[in-house]
mmCIF file of all heavy atoms in Angstrom:
data_model
loop_
_atom_site.group_PDB
_atom_site.id
_atom_site.type_symbol
_atom_site.label_atom_id
_atom_site.label_comp_id
_atom_site.label_asym_id
_atom_site.label_seq_id
_atom_site.Cartn_x
_atom_site.Cartn_y
_atom_site.Cartn_z
ATOM 1 N N ALA A 112 3.483 -0.134 -28.734
ATOM 2 C CA ALA A 112 3.029 1.065 -28.027
ATOM 3 C C ALA A 112 2.106 0.696 -26.870
ATOM 4 O O ALA A 112 2.151 1.327 -25.803
ATOM 5 C CB ALA A 112 2.325 2.013 -28.996
ATOM 6 N N HIS A 113 1.273 -0.326 -27.054
ATOM 7 C CA HIS A 113 0.403 -0.782 -25.969
ATOM 8 C C HIS A 113 1.190 -1.525 -24.895
ATOM 9 O O HIS A 113 0.968 -1.314 -23.695
ATOM 10 C CB HIS A 113 -0.701 -1.673 -26.525
ATOM 11 C CG HIS A 113 -1.868 -0.913 -27.064
ATOM 12 N ND1 HIS A 113 -2.889 -0.428 -26.278
ATOM 13 C CD2 HIS A 113 -2.178 -0.534 -28.337
ATOM 14 C CE1 HIS A 113 -3.775 0.195 -27.024
ATOM 15 N NE2 HIS A 113 -3.362 0.161 -28.289
ATOM 16 N N SER A 114 2.099 -2.395 -25.301
ATOM 17 C CA SER A 114 2.822 -3.199 -24.315
ATOM 18 C C SER A 114 3.764 -2.347 -23.468
ATOM 19 O O SER A 114 3.924 -2.587 -22.265
ATOM 20 C CB SER A 114 3.601 -4.327 -25.007
ATOM 21 O OG SER A 114 4.601 -3.809 -25.870
ATOM 22 N N TYR A 115 4.392 -1.336 -24.064
ATOM 23 C CA TYR A 115 5.269 -0.467 -23.284
ATOM 24 C C TYR A 115 4.475 0.397 -22.309
ATOM 25 O O TYR A 115 5.016 0.839 -21.291
ATOM 26 C CB TYR A 115 6.127 0.397 -24.204
ATOM 27 C CG TYR A 115 7.387 -0.290 -24.656
ATOM 28 C CD1 TYR A 115 7.420 -1.050 -25.833
ATOM 29 C CD2 TYR A 115 8.562 -0.204 -23.911
ATOM 30 C CE1 TYR A 115 8.581 -1.698 -26.249
ATOM 31 C CE2 TYR A 115 9.725 -0.844 -24.315
ATOM 32 C CZ TYR A 115 9.720 -1.595 -25.482
ATOM 33 O OH TYR A 115 10.878 -2.236 -25.879
ATOM 34 N N MET A 116 3.193 0.644 -22.598
ATOM 35 C CA MET A 116 2.341 1.321 -21.625
ATOM 36 C C MET A 116 2.257 0.508 -20.341
ATOM 37 O O MET A 116 2.367 1.047 -19.231
ATOM 38 C CB MET A 116 0.924 1.507 -22.192
ATOM 39 C CG MET A 116 0.746 2.699 -23.074
ATOM 40 S SD MET A 116 -0.977 2.864 -23.597
ATOM 41 C CE MET A 116 -1.731 3.385 -22.079
ATOM 42 N N ASP A 117 2.029 -0.800 -20.480
ATOM 43 C CA ASP A 117 1.974 -1.668 -19.304
ATOM 44 C C ASP A 117 3.264 -1.558 -18.503
ATOM 45 O O ASP A 117 3.250 -1.470 -17.272
ATOM 46 C CB ASP A 117 1.752 -3.122 -19.725
ATOM 47 C CG ASP A 117 0.348 -3.371 -20.275
ATOM 48 O OD1 ASP A 117 -0.593 -2.717 -19.794
ATOM 49 O OD2 ASP A 117 0.209 -4.219 -21.168
ATOM 50 N N GLY A 118 4.386 -1.594 -19.230
ATOM 51 C CA GLY A 118 5.677 -1.535 -18.563
ATOM 52 C C GLY A 118 5.850 -0.282 -17.735
ATOM 53 O O GLY A 118 6.472 -0.308 -16.666
ATOM 54 N N PHE A 119 5.305 0.846 -18.217
ATOM 55 C CA PHE A 119 5.436 2.093 -17.468
ATOM 56 C C PHE A 119 4.448 2.162 -16.308
ATOM 57 O O PHE A 119 4.827 2.406 -15.154
ATOM 58 C CB PHE A 119 5.242 3.301 -18.380
ATOM 59 C CG PHE A 119 5.231 4.605 -17.630
ATOM 60 C CD1 PHE A 119 6.419 5.179 -17.202
ATOM 61 C CD2 PHE A 119 4.034 5.250 -17.333
ATOM 62 C CE1 PHE A 119 6.415 6.372 -16.486
ATOM 63 C CE2 PHE A 119 4.021 6.436 -16.622
ATOM 64 C CZ PHE A 119 5.215 7.003 -16.198
ATOM 65 N N PHE A 120 3.161 1.975 -16.596
ATOM 66 C CA PHE A 120 2.145 2.226 -15.581
ATOM 67 C C PHE A 120 2.115 1.174 -14.471
ATOM 68 O O PHE A 120 1.562 1.430 -13.394
ATOM 69 C CB PHE A 120 0.763 2.351 -16.232
ATOM 70 C CG PHE A 120 0.579 3.645 -16.976
ATOM 71 C CD1 PHE A 120 0.572 3.674 -18.359
ATOM 72 C CD2 PHE A 120 0.434 4.835 -16.295
ATOM 73 C CE1 PHE A 120 0.420 4.865 -19.055
ATOM 74 C CE2 PHE A 120 0.279 6.046 -16.977
ATOM 75 C CZ PHE A 120 0.273 6.055 -18.352
ATOM 76 N N GLU A 121 2.696 0.018 -14.706
ATOM 77 C CA GLU A 121 2.760 -0.988 -13.650
ATOM 78 C C GLU A 121 3.961 -0.811 -12.734
ATOM 79 O O GLU A 121 4.158 -1.572 -11.789
ATOM 80 C CB GLU A 121 2.746 -2.393 -14.273
ATOM 81 C CG GLU A 121 1.390 -2.725 -14.893
ATOM 82 C CD GLU A 121 1.375 -4.047 -15.637
ATOM 83 O OE1 GLU A 121 2.406 -4.758 -15.586
ATOM 84 O OE2 GLU A 121 0.350 -4.358 -16.260
ATOM 85 N N ASN A 122 4.759 0.216 -12.988
ATOM 86 C CA ASN A 122 5.843 0.562 -12.079
ATOM 87 C C ASN A 122 5.293 1.124 -10.775
ATOM 88 O O ASN A 122 4.157 1.616 -10.729
ATOM 89 C CB ASN A 122 6.758 1.625 -12.713
ATOM 90 C CG ASN A 122 7.763 1.033 -13.683
ATOM 91 O OD1 ASN A 122 8.358 0.002 -13.407
ATOM 92 N ND2 ASN A 122 7.950 1.702 -14.814
ATOM 93 N N PRO A 123 6.091 1.091 -9.696
ATOM 94 C CA PRO A 123 5.672 1.756 -8.453
ATOM 95 C C PRO A 123 5.432 3.241 -8.697
ATOM 96 O O PRO A 123 6.056 3.856 -9.564
ATOM 97 C CB PRO A 123 6.866 1.531 -7.514
ATOM 98 C CG PRO A 123 7.588 0.348 -8.064
ATOM 99 C CD PRO A 123 7.394 0.403 -9.550
ATOM 100 N N LEU A 124 4.539 3.805 -7.925
ATOM 101 C CA LEU A 124 4.177 5.207 -8.087
ATOM 102 C C LEU A 124 5.396 6.114 -8.022
ATOM 103 O O LEU A 124 5.517 7.072 -8.807
ATOM 104 C CB LEU A 124 3.160 5.614 -7.013
ATOM 105 C CG LEU A 124 2.679 7.065 -7.038
ATOM 106 C CD1 LEU A 124 1.930 7.367 -8.330
ATOM 107 C CD2 LEU A 124 1.792 7.357 -5.835
ATOM 108 N N SER A 125 6.311 5.833 -7.115
ATOM 109 C CA SER A 125 7.491 6.692 -6.948
ATOM 110 C C SER A 125 8.323 6.764 -8.220
ATOM 111 O O SER A 125 8.904 7.818 -8.532
ATOM 112 C CB SER A 125 8.357 6.175 -5.794
ATOM 113 O OG SER A 125 8.778 4.839 -6.038
ATOM 114 N N GLN A 126 8.379 5.665 -8.980
ATOM 115 C CA GLN A 126 9.157 5.684 -10.221
ATOM 116 C C GLN A 126 8.430 6.476 -11.301
ATOM 117 O O GLN A 126 9.048 7.242 -12.047
ATOM 118 C CB GLN A 126 9.427 4.262 -10.711
ATOM 119 C CG GLN A 126 10.355 4.220 -11.919
ATOM 120 C CD GLN A 126 10.923 2.845 -12.190
ATOM 121 O OE1 GLN A 126 10.761 1.928 -11.399
ATOM 122 N NE2 GLN A 126 11.605 2.691 -13.312
ATOM 123 N N LYS A 127 7.108 6.324 -11.381
ATOM 124 C CA LYS A 127 6.341 7.093 -12.365
ATOM 125 C C LYS A 127 6.424 8.591 -12.083
ATOM 126 O O LYS A 127 6.421 9.416 -13.006
ATOM 127 C CB LYS A 127 4.882 6.624 -12.366
ATOM 128 C CG LYS A 127 4.695 5.217 -12.921
ATOM 129 C CD LYS A 127 3.251 4.774 -12.916
ATOM 130 C CE LYS A 127 2.765 4.384 -11.542
ATOM 131 N NZ LYS A 127 1.435 3.715 -11.583
ATOM 132 N N GLN A 128 6.505 8.928 -10.806
ATOM 133 C CA GLN A 128 6.520 10.339 -10.426
ATOM 134 C C GLN A 128 7.831 11.035 -10.782
ATOM 135 O O GLN A 128 7.927 12.251 -10.641
ATOM 136 C CB GLN A 128 6.243 10.481 -8.927
ATOM 137 C CG GLN A 128 4.781 10.221 -8.584
ATOM 138 C CD GLN A 128 4.506 10.306 -7.094
ATOM 139 O OE1 GLN A 128 5.356 9.943 -6.280
ATOM 140 N NE2 GLN A 128 3.328 10.774 -6.734
ATOM 141 N N ARG A 129 8.801 10.304 -11.292
ATOM 142 C CA ARG A 129 10.004 10.948 -11.815
ATOM 143 C C ARG A 129 9.655 11.847 -12.994
ATOM 144 O O ARG A 129 10.385 12.792 -13.321
ATOM 145 C CB ARG A 129 11.024 9.883 -12.237
ATOM 146 C CG ARG A 129 11.696 9.203 -11.056
ATOM 147 C CD ARG A 129 12.249 7.844 -11.415
ATOM 148 N NE ARG A 129 13.301 7.897 -12.433
ATOM 149 C CZ ARG A 129 13.896 6.811 -12.929
ATOM 150 N NH1 ARG A 129 13.560 5.601 -12.497
ATOM 151 N NH2 ARG A 129 14.837 6.933 -13.847
ATOM 152 N N ALA A 130 8.552 11.529 -13.646
ATOM 153 C CA ALA A 130 8.089 12.354 -14.769
ATOM 154 C C ALA A 130 6.886 13.205 -14.373
ATOM 155 O O ALA A 130 6.071 13.568 -15.222
ATOM 156 C CB ALA A 130 7.724 11.461 -15.948
ATOM 157 N N GLN A 131 6.762 13.514 -13.080
ATOM 158 C CA GLN A 131 5.579 14.212 -12.569
ATOM 159 C C GLN A 131 5.287 15.487 -13.359
ATOM 160 O O GLN A 131 6.176 16.310 -13.582
ATOM 161 C CB GLN A 131 5.763 14.564 -11.094
ATOM 162 C CG GLN A 131 4.532 15.156 -10.423
ATOM 163 C CD GLN A 131 3.413 14.125 -10.287
ATOM 164 O OE1 GLN A 131 3.657 12.976 -9.911
ATOM 165 N NE2 GLN A 131 2.197 14.527 -10.584
ATOM 166 N N ARG A 132 4.046 15.607 -13.765
ATOM 167 C CA ARG A 132 3.597 16.791 -14.503
ATOM 168 C C ARG A 132 3.456 17.965 -13.548
ATOM 169 O O ARG A 132 2.869 17.841 -12.470
ATOM 170 C CB ARG A 132 2.258 16.451 -15.157
ATOM 171 C CG ARG A 132 1.564 17.581 -15.875
ATOM 172 C CD ARG A 132 0.320 17.008 -16.535
ATOM 173 N NE ARG A 132 -0.547 18.016 -17.094
ATOM 174 C CZ ARG A 132 -1.657 17.736 -17.771
ATOM 175 N NH1 ARG A 132 -2.015 16.479 -17.952
ATOM 176 N NH2 ARG A 132 -2.406 18.702 -18.254
ATOM 177 N N LYS A 133 3.974 19.114 -13.922
ATOM 178 C CA LYS A 133 3.894 20.309 -13.087
ATOM 179 C C LYS A 133 2.628 21.095 -13.413
ATOM 180 O O LYS A 133 2.143 21.088 -14.542
ATOM 181 C CB LYS A 133 5.130 21.189 -13.292
ATOM 182 C CG LYS A 133 6.434 20.534 -12.844
ATOM 183 C CD LYS A 133 7.610 21.458 -13.103
ATOM 184 C CE LYS A 133 8.916 20.875 -12.562
ATOM 185 N NZ LYS A 133 9.273 19.600 -13.218
ATOM 186 N N ILE A 134 2.104 21.760 -12.411
ATOM 187 C CA ILE A 134 0.892 22.559 -12.599
ATOM 188 C C ILE A 134 1.138 23.628 -13.663
ATOM 189 O O ILE A 134 2.153 24.314 -13.655
ATOM 190 C CB ILE A 134 0.465 23.210 -11.266
ATOM 191 C CG1 ILE A 134 -0.037 22.138 -10.292
ATOM 192 C CG2 ILE A 134 -0.627 24.258 -11.505
ATOM 193 C CD1 ILE A 134 -0.376 22.662 -8.918
ATOM 194 N N GLY A 135 0.197 23.734 -14.586
ATOM 195 C CA GLY A 135 0.311 24.704 -15.664
ATOM 196 C C GLY A 135 1.017 24.165 -16.886
ATOM 197 O O GLY A 135 1.097 24.852 -17.898
#
Side-chain angles (χ1 to χ4, degrees):
H113 277 277
S114 63
Y115 275 91
M116 277 183 72
D117 290 327
F119 174 78
F120 287 107
E121 291 174 5
N122 279 317
L124 180 63
S125 59
Q126 186 165 352
K127 291 180 284 191
Q128 286 178 326
R129 286 157 63 182
Q131 186 68 44
R132 175 176 171 177
K133 296 179 175 62
I134 291 175

